[in-house]
């Protein structure tokens, strides 16, 4: 361990070293610390207590916390950019023109009132013309193309069994509620939501002029319930081996006899670009085919009509916008009030041509020194990881060697892409909101489709730089940190290292750890999916599984909303990443001190600031309906538990805050889970 320590013992390890002339801040939001709460009993509440007591979730939000506050700041910066383009003479077909006109088309409410449903007429007409079951695959392919939810949705990504190629992957979809449980579970709250959903469908179809909307709504709900019943659970969908099912085109007929695959492959544009596709949930496709053959055609017509209305409602006249929000916002998430229109307009621009906006955002708001420091931090975390591998009691030398090989092959992306996405072929017109939305969806669909058969574009980003988030992609074995997350409370250039290691350092650790979580560890360093035990030895895999099994139990013991416990299996990968990420960030922080003792700032030791930095990142309040939605559909644990549980597994936390047996934050050694 000592010998390896030396590998990264140098002054450059300190991210804040360059600014050492002026005294550094602690970076801890002391005004939110609640001294009435014992850190040893409720650390999350101790760090965030005053904020939690004083804060009300804004009326237009379903949750509010560190991520949202930062996202609000970014949004007002984006607003400034877009406003400045509004009055300018933007060259035709430039990104600036597209941003300005897409936003303008969203803001022109009078035009939307005048247009009514007219912009969707051609779409409705093709659904009305559905007279034969063989047309259903054609409609699904078309919906895939224009971004309307359909019974299955394709994704183009790297072939998990051959990471040198792209693959077209069909995944189950088509529901209007967040998860199959909303349709199937016998629970009071979910049954209530079901009833609200039925009446929402009815009101939307009536607004669209349907005479028999009540009956239609019942039938649509029936069809979606039938889809839900044959869908895989979100836990089953986390299995990368079970969800990898390669089908040569000719073999698809056996999967769904009678389904017109030729029509689908032709309309989707896949034929001619590849000879096979991946089906994530084969049994679902088989069962869907039964529904295609057996459900009455008028029910399918109502369903497709409903899907069009629901997907486009935010871009229609006010009566549709309001009805859509009443369900999506209020019933599903508990949010009383829709966001101001300009915010929704920015969301549309961000979601449609995000990199065009991102290019302007980073030029104006992303200081280059943030990238330099971040590059250094990532290096330190990777080095801490590498040093740690040899010290793990549960991992034998053969597995450790493989783990290091994988670590060496990580790609790191920080800030923004080196090559910006080319939007030159996308047409945006000031007066055509629905047309713009459809063209942007088609553009994105074709951009992905065009990858099939082409070399892998390693410069591509899956998040825009203005996104307050980060990710790991197991198929590319890369970690990616958009510019927007490189700000306080995650990353504070004016603060001492401790809070930065507890914040962005743990975020980096989290993303690296995804490469070694229960899913990521099934891929090699080149992004190829392996069968068990993969690069583990069989006995090391058993050790790993025993530990992760304990982590499932640790999280499942908590119910953020009574009756809705955390699903420890659904959230396992993220919980592993938090658990490991925080542990590694702590080790990296200690290494950065290179044997020196950390300064005391604001009366807090370095280790105390490190853990407080972690807990303040997860400062958050969430409405109950949204909490239920996330518990049912989100692979992340609720913020409060992310900010609370990982440190309970670390002896360094107990030492930093003098946690002893009997304290609520104390976990008996046999209950602790340490992977790294
Ligand atoms: Zn994650």
């Amino acid at each position: 361990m000592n010998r390896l320590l030396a590998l990264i013992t140098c002054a450059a390890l300190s991210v804040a070293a360059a600014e050492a002339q002026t005294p550094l801040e602690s970076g801890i939001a002391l005004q939110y610390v609640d001294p009435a709460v014992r850190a040893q009993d409720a650390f999350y509440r101790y760090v965030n207590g005053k904020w939690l007591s004083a804060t009300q979730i804004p009326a237009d939000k379903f949750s509010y916390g560190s991520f949202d506050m930062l996202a609000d700041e970014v949004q007002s910066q984006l607003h400034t950019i877009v406003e400045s383009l509004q009055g300018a003479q933007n060259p035709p077909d430039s990104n600036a023109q597209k941003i300005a006109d897409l936003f303008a088309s969203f803001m022109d409410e009078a035009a939307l009132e005048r247009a009514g449903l007219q912009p969707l007429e051609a779409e409705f007409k093709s659904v009305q013309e559905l007279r034969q079951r063989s047309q259903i695959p054609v409609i699904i392919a078309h919906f895939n193309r224009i971004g309307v939810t359909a019974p299955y949705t394709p994704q183009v990504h790297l072939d998990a069994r051959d990471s040198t190629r792209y693959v077209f992957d069909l995944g189950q979809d088509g529901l209007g509620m967040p998860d199959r449980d909303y349709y199937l579970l016998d629970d009071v709250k979910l049954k209530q939501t079901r009833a609200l959903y039925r009446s929402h469908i009815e009101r939307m179809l009536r607004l669209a002029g349907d005479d028999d909307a009540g009956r239609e709504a019942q039938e649509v709900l029936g069809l979606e319930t039938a889809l839900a019943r044959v869908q895989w659970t979100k836990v089953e969908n986390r299995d990368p081996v079970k969800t990898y099912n390669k089908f040569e085109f000719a073999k698809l007929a056996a999967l769904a006899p009678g389904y017109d695959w030729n029509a689908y492959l032709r309309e989707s544009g896949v034929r001619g670009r590849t000879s096979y596709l991946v089906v994530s949930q084969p049994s679902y496709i088989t069962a869907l085919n039964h529904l295609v053959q057996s459900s009455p055609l008028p029910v399918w017509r109502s369903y497709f009509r409903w899907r069009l209305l629901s997907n486009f409602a935010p871009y229609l006249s006010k009566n549709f916008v309001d009805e859509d929000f009443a369900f999506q916002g209020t019933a599903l998430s508990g949010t009383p009030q829709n966001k101001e229109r300009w915010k929704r307009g920015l969301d549309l621009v961000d979601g449609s041509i995000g990199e065009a906006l991102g290019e302007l955002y980073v030029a104006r708001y992303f200081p280059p020194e943030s990238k330099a420091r971040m590059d250094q931090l990532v290096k330190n975390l990777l080095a801490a990881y590498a040093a740690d591998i040899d010290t793990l009691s549960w991992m034998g030398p053969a597995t450790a060697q493989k783990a290091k090989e994988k670590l060496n092959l990580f790609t790191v992306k920080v800030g923004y892409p080196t090559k910006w996405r080319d939007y030159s072929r996308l047409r945006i017109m000031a007066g055509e909101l629905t047309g713009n939305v459809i063209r942007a969806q088609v553009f994105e669909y074709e951009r992905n489709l065009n990858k099939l058969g082409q070399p892998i574009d390693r410069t591509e980003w899956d998040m825009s730089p203005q996104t307050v988030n980060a990710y790991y992609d197991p198929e590319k074995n890369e970690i990616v940190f958009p510019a927007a997350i490189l700000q306080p409370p995650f990353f504070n250039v004016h603060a001492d290292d401790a809070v930065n290691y507890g914040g962005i350092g743990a975020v980096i650790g989290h993303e690296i750890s995804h490469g070694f979580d229960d899913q990521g560890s099934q891929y090699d360093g080149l992004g190829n999916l392996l069968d068990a035990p993969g690069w583990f030895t069989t006995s090391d895999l058993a050790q790993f599984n025993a530990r992760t099994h304990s982590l499932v139990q640790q999280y499942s013991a908590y119910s953020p909303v009574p009756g809705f416990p955390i699903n420890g299996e659904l959230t396992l990968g993220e919980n592993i990443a938090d658990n490991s990420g925080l542990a590694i960030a702590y080790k990296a922080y200690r290494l950065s001190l290179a044997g020196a003792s950390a300064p005391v700032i604001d009366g807090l030791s370095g280790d105390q600031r490190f853990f407080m930095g972690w807990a303040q990142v997860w400062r958050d309040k969430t409405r109950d309906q949204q909490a239920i939605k996330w518990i049912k559909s989100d692979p992340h644990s609720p913020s409060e538990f992310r900010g609370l549980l990982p440190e309970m597994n670390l002896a360094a936390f107990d030492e930093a805050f003098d946690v002893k047996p009997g304290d609520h934050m104390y976990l008996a050694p046999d209950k602790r889970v340490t992977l790294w």
Side-chain angles (χ1 to χ4, degrees), residues 335-399:
T335 315
Q337 198 174 295
N338 207 346
K339 287 195 250 186
E340 284 177 77
R341 195 159 182 95
W342 68 265
K343 295 185 182 173
R344 285 177 271 147
L346 279 179
D347 288 345
L348 174 66
V349 177
D350 202 13
S352 310
I353 46 175
E355 281 197 17
L357 194 53
E359 193 173 357
L360 303 175
Y361 168 76
V362 296
R364 193 150 169 182
Y365 296 106
F366 185 56
E369 57 271 27
S370 291
K371 180 166 161 51
R373 289 187 171 188
M374 186 65 183
D375 287 340
Q376 188 60 51
L377 256 173
V378 173
K379 265 194 201 129
N380 295 355
L381 263 293
L382 286 167
Y385 238 112
D388 202 48
I389 288 172
D390 286 321
T391 72
L392 303 177
S393 61
W394 61 274
M395 191 185 276
T399 305

Side-chain angles (χ1 to χ4, degrees), residues 469-472 510-511 514 517 573-575 577-578 635-636 642:
N469 208 339
Y471 69 90
Y472 169 73
H510 173 105
E511 300 309 337
H514 274 313
D517 72 17
E574 296 297 336
N575 297 338
D578 281 345
H636 301 90
R642 300 185 71 176

